[in-house]
Amino acid sequence: MIGHNGMVAEAAWPAVEPDLLIEETVTLPVQVNGRKRADVTVARNATNADIESLVLALEAVRRALDGKIPKKVIVVPQRIVNVVA
């Protein structure tokens, strides 16, 4: 009636486009001394050094550090970022 031949239940599934299944960015939670302080969105293929510099530039992280220099920044790729002060 609406111009299609056959039933919808008999129609083929659309083809999968693998490029659309993978997101180009990832959002990582940022913890400072074990407490979540912020989120940062980075490219999926960003290096640990790039992620570290973005995290240390966040206002929430600077406020949580309160002028202290971080002892260690632990980046678990595509999972989480931990800053230890």
Side-chain angles (χ1 to χ4, degrees):
M1 297 178 107
I2 60 173
H4 297 283
N5 296 331
M7 295 176 39
V8 173
E10 295 172 350
W13 284 92
V16 175
E17 295 183 36
D19 295 338
L20 299 177
L21 296 176
I22 299 174
E23 293 187 31
E24 295 178 9
T25 60
V26 63
T27 301
L28 304 173
V30 178
Q31 288 186 343
V32 178
N33 292 331
R35 297 185 68 191
K36 182 180 177 203
R37 301 295 181 168
D39 291 313
V40 64
T41 301
V42 296
R44 182 171 288 282
N45 59 356
T47 64
N48 287 358
D50 293 338
I51 296 171
E52 182 177 336
S53 64
L54 288 172
V55 166
L56 293 178
L58 292 173
E59 179 63 31
V61 173
R62 285 189 280 160
R63 198 172 337 122
L65 288 174
D66 196 31
K68 299 176 188 170
I69 298 173
K71 294 178 183 175
K72 191 182 237 185
V73 178
I74 304 165
V75 178
V76 180
Q78 300 180 9
R79 296 279 184 223
I80 194 167
V81 180
N82 291 306
V83 180
V84 181

